[in-house]
Amino acid sequence: MNLDKGLKWYKTDLHLHTVTSPCFSDAQSSPEDWVKRCLEQNLNCVAVTDHNNGDGIDIIKSVAGDRLVVFPGVEVTCDTSKIHVLVLFDPKHGSSYVNEFLVKLDIYQEDRGKTTTSTNKSIFEVAKIASERNGVVIPAHIDQFAGLGSLSYEAKNNILNDVNIQAVQIVHDFLYKEDLNDNLLRSKFENLYSSIDDLEWKKWKEVASFFKDKDIAKLTFSDNPLEEKSAKHGLNGIGKRFTWIKMDNEVTIESFKQALLMPSVRIINDTVYQETQKFHADTYIEKLEIHKTIYNNNQVNTIHFNPQLTTIIGGRGTGKSSILKLLRICLNLSDEIEKYKEIYKDHSEFSQKNDGELGVFTDESRIDLVINVGKSKFEVKYLHEQGKENFSLIVHYENGAREDFDNSATIEILKDLKINLFSQKQVYEISKKPNALRDFIDSNLEDEENKSEEIDILINEYNANCLNIFEIEKKIAQKSSLEIKLNELNIKKRNLNIPQVKDLLEKNEIYETEAKYIRNYLLFLDDKIINLEKNVNEAFVFNQYNFQLTHKLELDNLLAHSSHVLGVVNESILKEVEKLKNHYDILKDQLNNSQWSKEYINCKEQLEKLKTKEVNLDRLIVENQNTQSEIKNIEKNLEDIKNIELVASSLKTKNNSILIKIKSLRQEMRNYRNNYLKRILADNDMLKVEVNGYRDKIHFEKIFREHIGRSNGFDGDLEKIINYCFNGPAIEKIDKFYSTIQEEVHTGANSLGLGIKFLKHLNSLSISKLSMLSTLLPEDEILIKYKTMGSNSYKPLSNASAGQKTSAILTLLLSSGNTPLILDQPEDDLDNSLIYSLIVDRILKSKTNRQIIIVTHNANIPVNADSELINVMNSEELSFNPVGTGSIDNKEVKDSICTIMEGGVEAFKYRARKYNIEV
């Protein structure tokens, strides 16, 4: 992590010897070799702790320069116990400061560097003297030679309670992790040491057993052994053991002390460290730059953020919440608060161009936001131009490439980052509305887990099918009347006036059809004869060519022969065409003289005769034709209906499958919601969340009213419906209710005892609208239960106070997701016990996995949640420029917290005296 501000993690080895120690074997190695080995081991911070000697510190610091943080220190041998203790001082000090400390232990220059040198003072006296010089005291290798094995239980307890002893160095991690029997322990120690007796290692076991569960920092350092099983020191052992420690970007002894106060969140020793360890989330906001607003004129104000926890503090009216408003604007999250009228109004007034009274922007205002996404850097630029917002984005990739994005693309990318920003009022609204919490849970599901879109597509398909079925069934409803009509027409056809007229008409209709075919054939034949004559005459005409004299005779003879052949063929074809013409004439005569022709003529003559007998033949002919046409149309319609009956049946089958699929997806999503909640609350026994399928009554009433088009009224009827549907297995009762309604709305039955007006309203709905009821399934109910400190029973959140509701939802928000979470004064409505027991605990557990940014006026959050970076806003004026930035390890920041949040040092001490608490 390369940050300018706040806390960061350092890989440390704070028990290292140099050539100054008499037992250092690589005597010919140089300070450069020593520093090089540290850097090869990727150490960021080390301590020079030679035996009873500070002489080797300055040369190491000089060589290390700014490549390595070096704590000046010493390994002191105490009194007759020969206990070794590490004493470290601030990195600003050097050899002389450590040697002055040794003098106070009665270790003088002539004794430094000797193997027999020790102080005559006890470990407790050494710790007290070190504390007076602002040192950190760490009993060395407590479960090994020269450790605490010789101390009594009482003495070990005194070490634990001594305010001057802040940590211990452990060696044998298996003593703290496993309960091994003596035989296994003996085997392990015999493998580790050339010679060791049972009495020795059993003392070590007692030491480990004592400190195992004690709340004291347990550190692992190398003591840089020359090699395994060697008591001597050397370069090779540097960094073989290490501890990751979170300290300020400017490492001081005070920052180290602060880390030791909170070992669970600031210390990771190598017994638990894994190579895959992540110290912060991949996505985090790095800084916000504010240009030319009414609060900073021509200045550029920069707000820095830490990848873990950043808090923004300040008195009321210092602009701390304004920082979050600018973040909301730059992240394009303003629409999220539109439904919260008061919040949105305040935000809108803030984010407009200044009109002399309201608005923070000028025509030249710009906000730049830098977001780290993996190993890429996103630079978001927001411009407020003539009352319009304009976004742009530059992405700098790890390989050095750059990509620019316009307004619309930037907005989509910001949306994909899923950065969350909540005000206290938003959090409280979520606690009141289960659907808001459900939406939040769904927004944190993976894309493949959130089935909402797929369900919506299926519902739309189901409803479209219902409309098609409705239209088809309207057509199918005509089937009976068409069949009756067809029967009538067939009777009419049979009874058309005089039977002989009917027979003649039918015969004439056949003859006319046949005559039409014969005429068409003769026309076809005549056309072919004409085309043949024309094509033959044109095909055999070819212009002669006057060849050159040399070959004229030869070529003329050849072509003359060919022309002769062509002429013969031409004559032959023309003869055949003449034959075809004769055939045509003969065929015409034959047809005219055929029996068919005679009967056709006879039929026509009879019809002509009938016309003279006052029979309205024209009318009968037209009527017969119309009847035939109607019969054909009806038969076609009936055939179409037969086909669409199959379509309707297929659509109904498909809709049944869609309903099954919707319910299956709902079950999948319910499982994902359950698993998600179990995962994020696995280490939280204060909250319990249940996902109850199809049990959200409020959602059910809402979607039912929307579907029937009545946002209010019919309250009694809706109450009866809800009581019926939710009394028992909801999905079964709801399916039965919809089935009953669809049947009874047409039959007039009323098994549910619903009001007449309500039934009339349902009856006014289309059949398709009623069919669509089947997809109106209530959402899952998210039931949150909580318990207070010291209680064993869980209560529904609906019965909780406003503060308890808010704290429960905050706990969920803090536990959810791995993208940045920004909170504006979440402690409003909460008492300090809730903040400490729920919120602080959750921040400590979550901030490694996600960045958290909080505007707060409660000291519990920056102090007890160990904020990696604190921005102190100016109490003298409203501005965007912090007057202090750093961690609580920084004295100026610490003083600001005490002044702003505690009322000052004296006020804090006075309260402590009133509480009878020693400070």
Side-chain angles (χ1 to χ4, degrees), residues 278-292:
K278 290 181 70 173
F279 292 119
H280 60 78
D282 291 332
T283 300
Y284 61 90
I285 300 169
E286 182 181 313
K287 63 181 177 178
L288 178 74
E289 289 186 352
I290 305 153
H291 301 255
K292 297 184 178 180

Side-chain angles (χ1 to χ4, degrees), residues 105-243:
L105 301 183
D106 298 328
I107 297 175
Y108 301 99
Q109 183 173 355
E110 59 270 21
D111 298 317
R112 295 199 295 266
K114 295 180 181 178
T115 56
T116 57
T117 297
S118 66
T119 179
N120 56 8
K121 300 185 185 304
S122 71
I123 185 173
F124 302 104
E125 292 172 307
V126 171
K128 186 174 185 302
I129 295 169
S131 180
E132 290 169 354
R133 294 179 68 81
N134 199 28
V136 168
V137 176
I138 306 168
H141 35 72
I142 63 170
D143 51 7
Q144 197 188 38
F145 298 110
L148 302 182
S150 63
L151 294 184
S152 66
Y153 180 89
E154 182 183 2
K156 288 196 283 282
N157 205 50
N158 290 338
I159 282 181
L160 189 65
N161 295 318
D162 193 324
V163 295
N164 299 319
I165 298 175
Q166 292 94 343
V168 293
Q169 178 196 355
I170 64 171
V171 177
H172 302 114
D173 54 287
F174 55 85
L175 291 174
Y176 302 84
K177 288 182 175 180
E178 309 167 64
D179 290 323
L180 302 175
N181 63 44
D182 283 358
N183 289 332
L184 287 172
L185 286 174
R186 182 181 295 109
S187 175
K188 278 184 173 288
F189 283 119
E190 286 175 352
N191 287 331
L192 289 171
Y193 299 97
S194 302
S195 176
I196 187 170
D197 59 47
D198 285 2
L199 184 62
E200 192 71 55
W201 64 256
K202 283 182 178 180
K203 291 179 182 178
W204 302 350
K205 177 184 174 184
E206 287 179 10
V207 171
S209 178
F210 177 85
F211 283 99
K212 183 176 182 179
D213 298 319
K214 300 299 188 294
D215 187 21
I216 187 170
K218 300 173 187 70
L219 311 175
T220 49
F221 304 128
S222 72
D223 198 9
N224 58 317
L226 177 66
E227 56 190 21
E228 282 189 30
K229 299 185 180 182
S230 173
K232 294 189 175 184
H233 306 295
L235 289 178
N236 186 58
I238 293 174
K240 291 290 187 181
R241 302 294 302 273
F242 56 87
T243 295

Side-chain angles (χ1 to χ4, degrees), residues 49-67:
T49 55
D50 288 311
H51 290 292
N52 306 299
N53 194 346
D55 289 348
I57 296 167
D58 285 350
I59 185 63
I60 295 296
K61 287 186 68 175
S62 175
V63 171
D66 59 3
R67 295 180 296 167

Side-chain angles (χ1 to χ4, degrees), residues 751-894:
S751 61
L752 298 177
L754 301 173
I756 301 300
K757 288 185 178 179
F758 182 70
L759 289 173
K760 281 184 178 179
H761 180 73
L762 290 183
N763 200 32
S764 69
L765 301 177
S766 66
I767 295 173
S768 59
K769 195 79 170 172
L770 289 171
S771 300
M772 293 175 194
L773 282 171
S774 298
T775 62
L776 299 185
L777 302 177
E779 258 294 358
D780 297 338
E781 176 190 44
I782 309 295
L783 181 62
I784 302 176
K785 294 182 179 180
Y786 76 102
K787 70 175 183 178
T788 53
M789 291 287 286
S791 173
N792 293 321
S793 60
Y794 290 88
K795 305 173 185 176
L797 190 65
S798 54
N799 300 337
S801 67
Q804 289 167 331
K805 286 181 179 178
T806 303
S807 62
I809 299 304
L810 274 172
T811 302
L812 282 175
L813 297 183
L814 287 163
S815 304
S816 303
N818 54 15
T819 56
L821 175 65
I822 307 166
L823 298 170
D824 187 6
Q825 302 177 83
E827 67 275 6
D828 289 359
D829 294 331
L830 305 187
D831 57 49
N832 280 329
S833 65
L834 284 172
I835 294 170
Y836 184 73
S837 62
L838 282 179
I839 308 308
V840 168
D841 176 69
R842 186 46 48 182
I843 291 172
L844 289 170
K845 289 174 179 174
S846 300
K847 65 180 181 176
T848 299
N849 302 317
R850 73 183 314 179
Q851 182 185 43
I852 302 172
I853 299 169
I854 303 180
V855 166
T856 182
H857 50 74
N858 188 291
N860 276 298
I861 293 176
V863 177
N864 294 327
D866 196 35
S867 183
E868 278 71 16
L869 183 63
I870 301 165
N871 286 301
V872 183
M873 303 310 291
N874 193 343
S875 298
E876 302 298 321
E877 61 179 8
L878 180 60
S879 74
F880 297 130
N881 192 31
V883 293
T885 298
S887 71
I888 197 168
D889 300 4
N890 179 290
K891 184 180 183 305
E892 289 75 17
V893 171
K894 193 185 302 182

